[in-house]
């Protein structure tokens, strides 16, 4: 299973900054990298990114999408509109949206189903708060989020991002052993619920992933990728994280030596 390393820009970058970033990233990534990369710009840069990434090895993602096809939903962008731009992945249920914008488990479920309906792969974010972890309720919370979002079944390709809320944007990642344990529980749940089809779901870790620690997560047996916020805002840093997904520990700006054979140029 090819790992998916995703750059969630959140509310960052002007059009010019987005253009510079994508140009630099495309210079770094070889034509057929052994790890899949995807970039999730703000909506203002989505159309530009769609043009720049078309035919490239970097996939286009969206940070959010509304489940209705169209209508009176001021400020929203639909999955239908995203599909029209060639968006391949959409983040559903990010903790910032659950917390700041009050997104419920039911609304997240509607997004996941709509993404599939328009041929987009949802990245379903799940994760507990620090209080929930301290209270020994981490799995209970994650299981509730999974059950709600997938209540009506697994109707298409899926990525699950395990993102402990307390690790997002704090500079303090989870312990790799805790991420591995949670990923194993998620995998077991998927297999119990969906049988063989549960095997094809990729599980990412997210929360303060940096080039320095990416290998600790990406080498875990049950982790097949990372959802990266802050450290993805620089193309070189994002590329170094992606390189960690194929086994080498990032060492300096150019990445590990043994990766040279598949680097461009
Ligand atoms: P972070 O964000 O890498 O800045 O912690 C991760 C995320 O929110 O997906």
């Amino acid at each position: 299973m090819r790992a998916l390393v995703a750059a969630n820009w959140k509310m960052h970058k002007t059009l010019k900054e987005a253009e510079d970033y994508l140009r630099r990233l495309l210079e770094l990534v070889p034509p057929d990298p052994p790890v899949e990369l995807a970039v999730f710009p703000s909506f203002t840069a989505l159309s530009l990114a769609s043009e720049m990434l078309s035919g490239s090895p970097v996939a286009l993602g969206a940070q959010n999408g509304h489940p209705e096809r169209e209508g009176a939903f001021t400020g929203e962008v639909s999955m239908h509109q995203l599909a029209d731009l060639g968006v391949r992945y959409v983040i559903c249920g990010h903790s910032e949206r659950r917390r700041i914008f009050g997104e419920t488990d039911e609304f997240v479920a509607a997004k996941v189903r709509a993404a599939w309906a328009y041929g987009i792969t949802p990245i379903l974010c799940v994760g507990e708060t620090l209080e929930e972890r301290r209270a020994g309720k981490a799995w209970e919370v994650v299981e509730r989020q999974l059950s709600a979002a997938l209540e009506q079944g697994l109707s298409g390709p899926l990525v699950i991002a395990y993102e402990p809320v307390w690790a997002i944007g704090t500079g303090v990642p989870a312990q790799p052993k805790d991420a591995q344990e949670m990923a194993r529980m998620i995998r077991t749940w998927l297999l119990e619920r969906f049988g063989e089809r549960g095997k094809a779901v990729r599980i990412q870790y997210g929360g303060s992933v940096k080039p320095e620690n990416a290998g600790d997560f990406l080498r875990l047996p049950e982790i097949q990728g990372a959802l990266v916020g802050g450290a993805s805002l620089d193309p070189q840093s994002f590329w170094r994280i992606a390189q960690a997904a194929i086994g080498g520990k990032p060492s300096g700006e150019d990445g590990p030596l043994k990766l040279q054979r598949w680097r461009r140029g």
Side-chain angles (χ1 to χ4, degrees):
M1 200 167 357
R2 212 155 67 121
L4 172 65
V5 179
N8 174 14
W9 291 0
K10 308 194 181 183
M11 199 168 70
H12 291 281
K13 298 197 188 295
T14 62
L15 212 49
K16 176 80 178 63
E17 288 162 352
E19 187 182 354
D20 288 348
Y21 177 108
L22 294 172
R23 196 173 19 77
R24 286 173 58 207
L25 182 65
L26 291 173
E27 282 166 14
L28 293 168
V29 182
D32 191 17
V35 51
E36 191 178 354
L37 287 91
V39 173
F40 295 68
S42 293
F43 285 126
T44 48
L46 214 51
S47 170
L48 169 85
S50 167
E51 278 174 37
M52 289 185 74
L53 298 179
S54 147
S56 86
V58 179
L60 181 63
Q63 296 177 22
N64 186 28
H66 195 280
E68 294 292 332
R69 180 187 167 92
E70 58 190 15
F73 298 97
T74 301
E76 291 294 312
V77 174
S78 74
M79 300 290 179
H80 173 55
Q81 292 170 309
L82 298 179
D84 185 44
L85 273 182
V87 165
R88 199 179 306 163
Y89 296 100
V90 62
I91 297 174
C92 299
H94 191 284
S95 65
E96 285 156 13
R97 296 208 59 88
R98 292 181 192 259
R99 181 171 47 87
I100 305 169
F101 303 105
E103 288 193 2
T104 61
D105 283 336
E106 291 66 36
F107 193 47
V108 174
K111 288 180 190 215
V112 168
R113 290 195 300 271
W116 282 328
Y118 290 101
I120 302 173
T121 299
I123 298 186
L124 171 64
C125 298
V126 296
E128 80 287 356
T129 63
L130 194 56
E131 295 71 47
E132 289 161 345
R133 174 157 285 269
R134 284 188 176 144
K137 294 194 164 146
W139 170 245
E140 191 182 315
V141 170
V142 168
E143 187 179 25
R144 191 204 72 222
Q145 292 169 337
L146 290 171
S147 300
L150 303 173
E151 198 193 351
Q152 294 187 29
L154 186 63
S155 315
L158 176 70
V159 179
I160 292 174
Y162 169 56
E163 298 205 303
V165 177
W166 45 272
I168 297 176
T170 58
V172 183
Q175 292 294 325
K177 67 169 177 37
D178 292 338
Q180 165 68 12
E181 191 189 15
M182 185 59 84
R184 276 188 63 190
M185 289 196 278
I186 293 172
R187 178 72 63 201
T188 306
W189 185 90
L190 287 167
L191 294 173
E192 277 176 21
R193 191 82 159 222
F194 305 116
E196 280 296 296
R197 287 181 306 143
K199 279 192 183 160
V201 175
R202 283 181 286 185
I203 302 174
Q204 296 178 314
Y205 168 76
S208 298
V209 173
K210 303 182 254 288
E212 296 73 27
N213 64 23
D216 299 341
F217 294 100
L218 291 166
R219 278 196 295 273
L220 294 170
E222 272 306 347
I223 301 282
Q224 297 88 31
L227 182 53
V228 190
S232 77
L233 290 172
D234 172 73
Q236 181 74 254
S237 159
F238 178 50
W239 175 233
R240 286 174 64 203
I241 291 170
Q243 285 177 305
I246 51 126
K249 239 201 172 351
S251 59
E253 289 287 290
D254 291 321
L257 205 60
K258 68 178 181 189
L259 303 179
Q260 293 294 337
R261 63 191 158 82
W262 56 267
R263 292 190 69 227
R264 178 181 276 176

